[in-house]
Amino acid sequence: MRKIIVAIDGHSACGKSTTARAAAKILGYYYVDTGAMYRAVTVYFLEKHVALTNPKEISRALTDIKVTFKINPAGVTETYLNGLNVEKKIRKMEVSQNVSQISAIREVRDAMVDAQRKLGKSRGVVMDGRDIGSVVFPDAELKIFLTADLLVRAIRRQKELLDKDELVDLDTVIANLRQRDEYDSTRKESPLIKAKGAIEIDTTHITIDEQVDEVIRLAMGRMINKN
Ligand code: DC
């Protein structure tokens, strides 16, 4: 069977990462969480107080940043920033509140898209984000666009934060998701759109297992279909 690229895009907290991670495991593919890459850049920019209005400073900072992934003993992919595990840090609310602004900067996008294309150049990857099917790999054999109701997404995200010992009230989570949806969809650089040829899956009323099954079914179809 040929190796393909599975591109999964959609709004914040639709279950993209959970679905992509599980699908990659079943397919024996590499999983790339591109949101984690933008989050790691955000951590660096916040910690180093990079001036977001200074393109030179931004470009210089980007040359100092290396984002990598490692699989931990439990089989879960974790994000590293310049060799340090930042998996917990990147999921913090403070990072969520700044990541949309930082990921909208052209220099940041150019650097990340370049890194993402390198990670997927041999195919055999499941990559999730906002612009994977539209910009990073417009030739991906399978493009998925996930959607879900805002309230359902907020409840899922609040639980995720709680699992990481961060208690955030539902209104704050809803406001953050709404703001990021708006920002990600209306920004000038690579806005979130449903890519040409993408298959939409609404996850509001289906379980993660059902989401994953559907992605695997579609991926298998693409892997045996040579066209
Ligand atoms: O998937 P996530 O919520 O972890 O993504 C964090 C932010 O990164 C999101 O608000 C928008 C940005 N992002 C992006 O602009 N392009 C991507 N391919 C992935 C994420």
Side-chain angles (χ1 to χ4, degrees):
M1 268 193 286
R2 68 170 177 164
K3 279 188 175 179
I4 64 165
I5 290 176
V6 180
I8 303 184
D9 292 303
H11 291 111
S12 301
C14 280
K16 293 188 300 293
S17 302
T18 315
T19 308
R21 190 181 300 119
K25 201 167 178 193
I26 294 168
L27 295 169
Y29 278 15
Y30 195 62
Y31 164 55
V32 181
D33 175 353
T34 65
M37 297 171 79
Y38 289 100
R39 286 171 178 272
V41 171
T42 301
V43 166
Y44 185 95
F45 277 29
L46 291 176
E47 284 181 354
K48 304 277 180 194
H49 305 288
V50 175
L52 302 185
T53 46
N54 184 338
K56 266 198 185 149
E57 201 176 315
I58 290 170
S59 297
R60 197 174 331 111
L62 285 166
T63 62
D64 289 337
I65 295 176
K66 193 161 168 56
V67 183
T68 48
F69 297 103
K70 266 190 217 160
I71 299 174
N72 73 11
V76 178
T77 307
E78 293 185 324
T79 313
Y80 285 71
L81 170 63
N82 295 336
L84 285 181
N85 188 329
V86 287
E87 189 54 41
K88 264 202 157 164
K89 233 183 224 182
I90 61 170
R91 310 288 165 195
K92 295 259 179 219
M93 203 59 190
E94 192 202 359
V95 175
S96 296
Q97 276 158 347
N98 288 279
V99 64
S100 277
Q101 194 193 356
I102 289 171
S103 63
I105 299 170
R106 175 200 277 268
E107 289 81 359
V108 172
R109 299 212 72 79
D110 288 350
M112 291 304 110
V113 168
D114 200 41
Q116 289 151 15
R117 287 192 177 137
K118 283 189 185 126
L119 289 168
K121 73 171 185 306
S122 311
R123 308 196 102 71
V125 291
V126 181
M127 204 174 273
D128 80 292
R130 303 293 187 290
D131 60 342
I132 310 306
S134 58
V135 174
V136 184
F137 288 112
D139 63 340
E141 290 79 3
L142 176 59
K143 300 179 191 178
I144 306 283
F145 190 79
L146 290 186
T147 62
D149 276 359
L150 179 64
L151 182 59
V152 170
R153 289 191 279 135
I155 292 168
R156 288 178 188 162
R157 181 48 55 91
Q158 188 192 37
K159 189 176 171 303
E160 254 173 49
L161 287 163
L162 203 56
D163 288 345
K164 294 189 170 89
D165 300 326
E166 198 174 358
L167 178 62
V168 183
D169 69 89
L170 197 58
D171 284 346
T172 306
V173 180
I174 290 174
N176 174 253
L177 291 182
R178 190 176 274 137
Q179 198 181 16
R180 282 204 289 147
D181 286 352
E182 167 78 14
Y183 209 106
D184 296 344
S185 307
T186 56
R187 69 185 175 207
K188 202 166 123 256
E189 303 290 335
S190 314
L192 168 66
I193 50 158
K194 182 175 159 189
K196 201 164 158 257
I199 295 166
E200 187 166 327
I201 304 176
D202 184 338
T203 73
T204 308
H205 302 295
I206 61 174
T207 64
I208 289 289
D209 285 350
E210 287 169 326
Q211 276 167 233
V212 176
D213 285 351
E214 182 61 1
V215 172
I216 296 296
R217 190 184 68 76
L218 291 164
M220 290 296 192
R222 301 296 199 278
M223 285 157 84
I224 47 181
N225 177 3
K226 295 262 182 282
N227 300 314

